Amino acid sequence: MDEKGVMLDNGLNVIDGTTYYFHNWGGMANSWWRKDENGNWFYFRGNGAMAKSSWIEWKGEFYYVGKDGKMLTSTTTPDGYRVDRDGKWIR
């Protein structure tokens, strides 16, 4: 619920400086990837908070999300590792 008591739903919401995603039925996304309308992927941790500037382990693979929360693709991560076009760490 927001400060007015209205249920948060259907999109991104920032609460105390942390970004969360709520489904259209009001449930908070957790341990979940979301693809936006521009094709960017974002990961929401088990507590619902959007991951930023960190590695995510997903189904035995590793992905890096930047400071804006977007998964990096076809580049070098800030800590010097390469990720492919799908965002997977190149070992």
Side-chain angles (χ1 to χ4, degrees):
M1 304 288 185
D2 68 10
E3 63 279 349
K4 296 177 185 173
V6 177
M7 182 176 70
L8 297 172
D9 65 357
N10 203 28
L12 297 172
N13 289 276
V14 179
I15 302 169
D16 295 330
T18 301
T19 304
Y20 300 88
Y21 182 85
F22 292 86
H23 299 286
N24 61 358
W25 49 270
M28 182 175 64
N30 59 16
S31 302
W32 181 71
W33 285 97
R34 176 182 178 268
K35 188 176 185 181
D36 72 6
E37 61 279 352
N38 297 315
N40 298 306
W41 287 95
F42 299 83
Y43 184 75
F44 294 85
R45 298 187 180 283
N47 67 357
M50 184 169 71
K52 295 181 180 181
S53 300
S54 60
W55 284 97
I56 306 300
E57 183 178 4
W58 183 259
K59 297 184 179 182
E61 299 291 344
F62 291 88
Y63 303 84
Y64 190 86
V65 293
K67 62 184 175 184
D68 58 0
K70 284 192 263 184
M71 181 180 69
L72 300 184
T73 59
S74 301
T75 193
T76 301
T77 63
D79 53 357
Y81 295 94
R82 299 265 314 139
V83 291
D84 67 15
R85 68 184 187 142
D86 295 321
K88 292 180 188 176
W89 171 38
I90 300 170
R91 300 176 193 229

